């Protein structure tokens, strides 16, 4: 999870640090090219849904400003260096130092997300909001107890981790219609009950392999989906466990 966040930040900031070496410059060009392709694909949707090119132009502008925003929040050079040498002996210094910086950096994507919503269909906006709202909890989980979830020296935990996606695939078979399930706004009691059964199935798998803490990762996705859909009216708060705050 942390590596996904780190990877995203590294991609967005690659143009800034590229000046330090020709190798970084090459990587920056690839990342910029990928962003350009995405923006070209979204441009027609922006024009269609807003009736003008103004939103698309703002989206391009705000996207280009994300790297500059991030380097005002995160000491990227030091972060990258210390990440390379991160281990059990250094994590007590690393996470308290950089988790607040990473948390502050999340605001940098808000202008982009705001404009992007104008270019998406309602069901696509729901998915975008789930992902965006998931980031703070994801970072909090990664930083909890100085990154303990990345340093679980436990055979059961490692075995469960290796089978994590197999468990997800097995348990999602309980969803009768995945197309309907993807349209969050139309979920009814039947679909919500199926999603609750998916969680129960996954929890049972982790109990059997003796690594219940992996439920935190599953709930990272499960909880925002429940809150963003009518399922919040069918699933009680007790069934929506909260990730313990790490006060970052």
């Amino acid at each position: 999870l942390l590596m996904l966040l780190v990877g995203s930040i590294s991609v967005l900031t690659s143009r800034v640090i590229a000046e330090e070496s020709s190798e970084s410059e090459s990587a920056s060009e690839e990342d910029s090219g990928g962003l350009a392709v995405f923006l070209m694909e979204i441009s027609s949707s922006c024009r269609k849904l807003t009736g003008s090119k103004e939103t698309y132009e703002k989206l391009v502008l705000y996207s280009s400003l994300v790297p500059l925003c991030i380097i005002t929040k995160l000491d990227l050079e030091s972060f990258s260096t210390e990440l390379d040498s991160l281990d059990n002996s250094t994590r007590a210094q690393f996470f308290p130092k950089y988790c607040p910086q990473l948390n502050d950096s999340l605001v940098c994507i808000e202008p982009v997300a705001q404009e992007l919503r104008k270019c998406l269909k309602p069901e696509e906006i729901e998915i975008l909001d789930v992902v965006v709202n998931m980031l703070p909890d994801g970072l909090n989980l990664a930083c909890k107890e100085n990154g303990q979830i990345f340093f679980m020296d436990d055979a059961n935990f490692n075995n469960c981790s290796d089978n994590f996606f197999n468990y997800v695939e097995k348990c999602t078979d309980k969803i009768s219609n995945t197309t309907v399930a993807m349209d969050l706004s139309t979920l009814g009691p039947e679909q919500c009950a199926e999603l609750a059964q998916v969680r129960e199935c996954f929890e049972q798998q982790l109990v059997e392999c003796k690594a219940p803490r992996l439920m935190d990762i599953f709930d990272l996705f499960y909880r925002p989906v429940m809150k963003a859909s009518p399922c919040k009216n069918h699933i009680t708060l007790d069934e929506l466990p909260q990730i313990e705050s790490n006060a970052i």
Side-chain angles (χ1 to χ4, degrees):
L1 175 60
L2 178 62
M3 295 310 296
L4 288 175
L5 293 170
V6 170
S8 298
I9 291 173
S10 297
V11 167
L12 290 170
T13 55
S14 61
R15 179 178 296 178
V16 177
I17 63 175
E19 298 175 358
E20 298 179 4
S21 69
S22 58
E23 181 178 352
S24 295
E25 184 174 352
S26 176
S28 176
E29 291 174 356
E30 293 179 4
D31 296 331
S32 299
L35 178 60
V37 170
F38 169 75
L39 292 174
M40 287 298 293
E41 291 176 347
I42 202 71
S43 64
S44 61
S45 179
C46 288
R47 293 189 180 96
K48 180 179 179 180
L49 293 175
T50 66
S52 74
K53 61 181 182 180
E54 181 180 355
T55 298
Y56 172 70
E57 291 174 347
K58 286 184 178 180
L59 185 58
V60 173
L61 173 62
Y62 293 153
S63 297
S64 67
L65 294 177
V66 168
L68 296 178
C69 174
I70 289 178
I71 63 174
T72 67
K73 311 288 185 181
L74 175 66
D75 184 351
L76 186 63
E77 182 176 358
S78 176
F79 172 78
S80 300
T81 300
E82 294 184 34
L83 179 64
D84 288 339
S85 59
L86 179 63
D87 58 26
N88 216 9
S89 66
T90 61
R91 66 188 181 95
Q93 293 76 41
F94 179 88
F95 285 93
K97 179 179 180 180
Y98 292 110
C99 283
Q101 295 183 31
L102 288 167
N103 189 59
D104 289 344
S105 298
L106 294 180
V107 302
C108 296
I109 68 171
E110 290 179 1
V112 178
Q114 182 177 347
E115 295 304 317
L116 184 56
R117 288 185 183 95
K118 301 175 184 178
C119 302
L120 301 176
K121 298 176 182 178
E123 61 272 20
E124 294 171 331
I125 294 174
E126 292 171 351
I127 300 298
L128 172 65
D129 287 343
V130 165
V131 173
V132 171
N133 294 333
M134 183 182 70
L135 292 178
D137 276 347
L139 181 58
N140 201 48
L141 177 59
C143 294
K144 184 178 179 180
E145 298 176 8
N146 296 326
Q148 179 63 32
I149 197 166
F150 302 109
F151 295 91
M152 298 290 290
D153 188 15
D154 179 275
N156 291 326
F157 186 90
N158 293 333
N159 180 60
C160 282
S161 297
D162 292 340
N163 289 287
F164 187 90
F165 290 105
N166 291 334
Y167 298 150
V168 171
E169 183 176 0
K170 175 181 178 180
C171 293
T172 51
D173 283 343
K174 297 184 178 296
I175 300 176
S176 58
N177 190 322
T178 54
T179 301
V180 172
M182 289 299 292
D183 189 354
L184 302 185
S185 64
T186 64
L187 295 182
E190 180 180 350
Q191 290 79 29
C192 295
E194 289 179 349
L195 291 174
Q197 290 172 13
V198 170
R199 186 184 186 279
E200 291 173 4
C201 170
F202 193 79
E203 185 174 30
Q204 182 60 36
Q205 296 294 319
L206 297 184
V207 168
E208 291 177 2
C209 71
K210 301 179 181 179
R213 285 199 59 181
L214 278 173
M215 277 305 299
D216 287 344
I217 297 178
F218 182 87
D219 282 335
L220 187 63
F221 297 90
Y222 176 81
R223 185 177 58 258
V225 168
M226 295 296 103
K227 288 184 175 180
S229 71
C231 291
K232 62 180 178 290
N233 300 318
H234 306 291
I235 306 295
T236 66
L237 290 177
D238 288 340
E239 294 172 299
L240 290 173
Q242 297 291 317
I243 296 175
E244 182 181 346
S245 174
N246 199 41
I248 58 174

